[in-house]
Amino acid sequence: MAAAAAAAASSGDGPSKTCVSFVCQYCMQPLKLDASIKAIDRQTFEALTQVHEDGGDGAVVRRGQQGPAEDMAFPKPLQHRVVKSSKNKELALDQVFASSDGGRSSLSRATRVASWLFDLMSERAEFDHPLCEECTDVLLDELDAQLHLAEDEARQCNAFLKLQSEAGAAATGGEDAPTLEEDLAALQKEERMLLAKLESLEETSTELKQELLRQEEESRVLAAQEEKYCKEYNEYQRQLEDYFEEQSSIENRFHRARERLQSLKKTNVFNDAFHIWHEGHFGTINNFRLGRLPSVPVDWSEINAAWGQTVLLLHTLAMKLGFKFQRYRLVPNGSQSYLEAEGEPGKDLPLHGSGGFKLFSDKKFDEAMVAFLDCVDQFKSHIESKEPHFKLPYRVVHGKIGDSNGELSIRIQFNQEETWTKALKFMLTNLKWCLAWVCKQMGARTAPNTTSSTA
């Protein structure tokens, strides 16, 4: 609703240059005003203003609804509103037509008059002023097109109204008033029925909406339960996998333990602890040679150690079976092992030699060896009482041991080193057989090798 403001300037020591420009509010091109605008005086301006005001009801006419002209992107200049009170109007006109000396004052007054007129026209129109001739022609063409379109719509509306009037007259021309009233009553009755049906349908729709809400709530509850179930299922599945892994691990450990047990069952503890074997003419126990030869003078410390291992073996086997020897008690004490004679306190029979192989050697050492051989024979008799078919490879008779080829004395006195050594080897062989039988009774699946080597 605003008109473009004018900019005026003059400067310089030479000829005075005055630039007064108004721009088109549509194309923004500078305009050259007609000289008649500059010649408008106060009386003419008041007459134009009065004509403008008489065109309305005393109020400022606002722009209508959005139309093609309003779509024009006109800039909004500084506005000068039309003042309706006579006092303010006179004051504004005085400001517009204020005169002063010089040409610049006349130019400024003309600019104010033009700006006032443009604002006045913009207030009453749907587009801003001023406009150039080309934009005015375009605007007029567009307004003519809108006018023709409105006239066509008006003619179509009039034709339609005329057609409807003729159709209504033709429809009601042959019927009387009672028939129309009956039709009206029937239509009203049908309307009431349709309204009742509509109300029923609305109630049904409300119930269905409530049922839908209830079903949606149940669906949300079921979805929450399903999610909870899935989480619990996944947790149980994870625990099950953990249990399967743990079970597999336990089974693997069980199989390894069982294999280890089988291996341990196959292991002969006594045979490992008391390894009886032979080395040439010597019987050995834990690699200690028992006996001596003129060509192989075994040290007596080794012989005494072998006797200590032999006493420990027989004592351990007897304890394993819970057997108690008669007349003697074995006392394993390493290289200083001995036997105690029962019923004769203080009488110890040492199973260790003092050194040398003499014709008249230590009688107690011979008695101890004979007593130990008697203990071996007692242990053999105990085994035969449990298993009658058990037989030792060498028989024991009164301090001698041998087979069908003859018996050898275990004493040193009045004996030869070769004979004594061979008798000790036979004794170790019998002990190995006793050891194998005890291992069998303990549940060993593989009995130790009972093969003996004889000279």
Side-chain angles (χ1 to χ4, degrees), residues 8 10 25 49 160 228 257 310 325 328 350 357 371 377 417 425:
S10 66
Q25 299 300 294
T49 304
F160 179 76
K228 181 180 178 182
T310 305
F325 295 104
Y328 305 103
F357 198 91
D377 189 58
E417 289 182 346
K425 185 176 182 181

Side-chain angles (χ1 to χ4, degrees), residues 340-383:
E340 291 181 352
E342 294 184 356
E344 300 181 21
K347 183 179 180 181
D348 297 337
L349 302 176
L351 269 175
H352 50 85
S354 58
F357 198 91
K358 302 177 182 178
L359 183 61
F360 299 100
S361 60
D362 191 354
K363 292 180 60 177
K364 285 188 175 182
F365 184 35
D366 285 346
E367 291 178 4
M369 289 188 290
V370 172
F372 183 81
L373 191 60
D374 181 58
C375 290
V376 173
D377 189 58
Q378 291 182 40
F379 191 76
K380 183 263 300 183
S381 300
H382 176 69
I383 294 176

Side-chain angles (χ1 to χ4, degrees), residues 84-320:
K84 298 302 177 182
S85 65
S86 59
K87 183 177 180 181
N88 292 337
K89 178 180 178 182
E90 292 294 332
L91 183 59
L93 290 176
D94 291 341
Q95 293 177 357
V96 171
F97 288 94
S99 61
S100 60
D101 298 334
R104 292 183 58 189
S105 176
S106 176
L107 181 60
S108 176
R109 182 179 65 81
T111 302
R112 290 197 299 270
V113 171
S115 179
W116 185 281
L117 288 176
F118 292 149
D119 283 346
L120 187 62
M121 288 187 293
S122 296
E123 287 284 345
R124 288 291 182 176
E126 294 183 352
F127 41 84
D128 291 334
H129 288 275
L131 297 174
C132 64
E133 292 183 2
E134 291 80 2
C135 293
T136 302
D137 294 338
V138 172
L139 181 60
L140 290 175
D141 294 339
E142 186 175 352
L143 291 176
D144 289 339
Q146 293 180 8
L147 177 60
H148 293 318
L149 181 61
E151 290 176 351
D152 292 339
E153 290 179 354
R155 284 193 298 271
Q156 292 176 3
C157 289
N158 292 329
F160 179 76
L161 289 175
K162 184 178 180 180
L163 181 63
Q164 291 296 324
S165 299
E166 294 176 355
T172 59
E175 296 181 0
D176 53 1
T179 304
L180 293 177
E181 291 179 356
E182 290 177 359
D183 293 342
L184 179 60
L187 291 175
Q188 290 177 350
K189 182 178 179 180
E190 184 179 0
E191 180 185 8
R192 288 192 296 271
M193 292 175 60
L194 292 175
L195 290 175
K197 187 176 181 180
L198 177 61
E199 184 177 359
S200 176
L201 291 176
E202 289 178 350
E203 293 178 357
T204 304
S205 176
T206 303
E207 294 177 356
L208 291 176
K209 288 180 180 179
Q210 294 177 355
E211 179 68 20
L212 178 61
L213 293 176
R214 185 169 64 256
Q215 294 293 336
E216 289 178 352
E217 182 64 24
E218 291 181 358
S219 176
R220 285 193 293 269
V221 173
L222 291 176
Q225 292 179 354
E226 181 182 6
E227 183 178 2
K228 181 180 178 182
Y229 168 78
C230 290
K231 290 181 179 179
E232 292 178 353
Y233 174 79
N234 293 333
E235 179 64 21
Y236 293 149
Q237 195 71 18
R238 185 189 63 80
Q239 294 180 2
L240 182 62
E241 294 294 335
D242 293 341
Y243 294 152
F244 283 153
E245 291 180 1
E246 184 177 0
Q247 180 183 4
S248 178
S249 176
I250 293 175
E251 289 178 353
N252 291 335
R253 293 200 299 269
F254 172 74
H255 291 319
R256 288 195 297 269
R258 185 170 62 181
E259 292 175 359
R260 179 62 178 168
L261 177 61
Q262 297 299 328
S263 176
L264 292 176
K265 284 183 178 180
K266 294 178 181 180
T267 302
N268 190 335
V269 179
F270 285 105
N271 195 38
D272 290 341
F274 303 99
H275 180 63
I276 298 176
W277 199 239
H278 61 88
E279 184 179 327
H281 296 285
F282 297 98
T284 61
I285 180 170
N286 292 339
N287 295 325
F288 294 119
R289 292 171 291 184
L290 189 59
R292 59 185 293 150
L293 296 174
S295 60
V296 186
V298 180
D299 190 76
W300 276 99
S301 60
E302 183 178 348
I303 296 172
N304 294 336
W307 269 115
Q309 293 294 313
T310 305
V311 173
L312 180 61
L313 170 60
L314 185 58
H315 176 73
T316 303
L317 294 177
M319 289 183 61
K320 189 65 179 179

